[in-house]
Amino acid sequence: IVDKIGTAYEDDILATGFGSYLALPLLREKYSANMEEGEARALLEDCLRILFYRDCRALNRVQIAKVTKESGVLVSEPYELDTNWEFKGFITNKGEMGTDGGW
């Protein structure tokens, strides 16, 4: 990969932008070169879900591409990631936590 300022590097896994801060550590921890396709897809979806939760402008609608020598490029139809907003910290009014609701 070559980033926007011209730095070039190679690795087995990569992420750009916001993903380099949040998804790359998860990929480094969970990635294995001998993963099954289903495991790899689940890991990728976990990374995308975390990025969705942390970016207020993101959507949970994604497409995943698979590139192989035999089949070339296969791009999935768009689909929505399952999400869970039931965590109490997501729905509690911050003003009710002993603060005035400001930062």
Side-chain angles (χ1 to χ4, degrees), residues 15-25 27 51:
T16 60
F18 205 36
S20 65
Y21 299 104
L22 297 176
L24 194 55
L27 288 168
L51 291 166

Side-chain angles (χ1 to χ4, degrees), residues 40-76:
R41 179 179 289 267
L43 176 56
L44 184 56
E45 287 178 349
D46 285 345
C47 291
L48 292 169
R49 188 174 295 108
I50 289 168
L51 291 166
F52 166 68
Y53 284 142
R54 298 296 299 165
D55 186 350
C56 66
R57 293 183 180 97
L59 295 175
N60 65 332
R61 190 167 176 82
V62 300
Q63 286 181 278
I64 294 179
K66 175 183 172 183
V67 181
T68 63
K69 187 176 187 178
E70 300 78 34
S71 303
V73 178
L74 302 171
V75 180
S76 74

Side-chain angles (χ1 to χ4, degrees), residues 3-101:
D3 69 12
K4 64 182 178 182
I5 60 172
T7 306
Y9 57 94
E10 292 182 30
D11 201 344
D12 291 335
I13 55 174
L14 63 96
T16 60
F18 205 36
S20 65
Y21 299 104
L22 297 176
L24 194 55
L26 182 61
L27 288 168
R28 285 182 177 147
E29 179 182 333
K30 304 285 185 182
Y31 171 78
S32 170
N34 59 354
M35 294 176 87
E36 296 291 326
E37 182 179 341
E39 294 173 308
R41 179 179 289 267
L43 176 56
L44 184 56
E45 287 178 349
D46 285 345
C47 291
L48 292 169
R49 188 174 295 108
I50 289 168
L51 291 166
F52 166 68
Y53 284 142
R54 298 296 299 165
D55 186 350
C56 66
R57 293 183 180 97
L59 295 175
N60 65 332
R61 190 167 176 82
V62 300
Q63 286 181 278
I64 294 179
K66 175 183 172 183
V67 181
T68 63
K69 187 176 187 178
E70 300 78 34
S71 303
V73 178
L74 302 171
V75 180
S76 74
E77 292 296 319
Y79 65 98
E80 291 185 5
L81 297 172
D82 293 330
T83 58
N84 180 4
W85 294 98
E86 298 300 316
F87 175 62
K88 186 178 178 182
F90 291 154
I91 57 178
T92 302
N93 183 338
K94 304 305 183 252
E96 295 175 6
M97 298 178 73
T99 67
D100 65 0

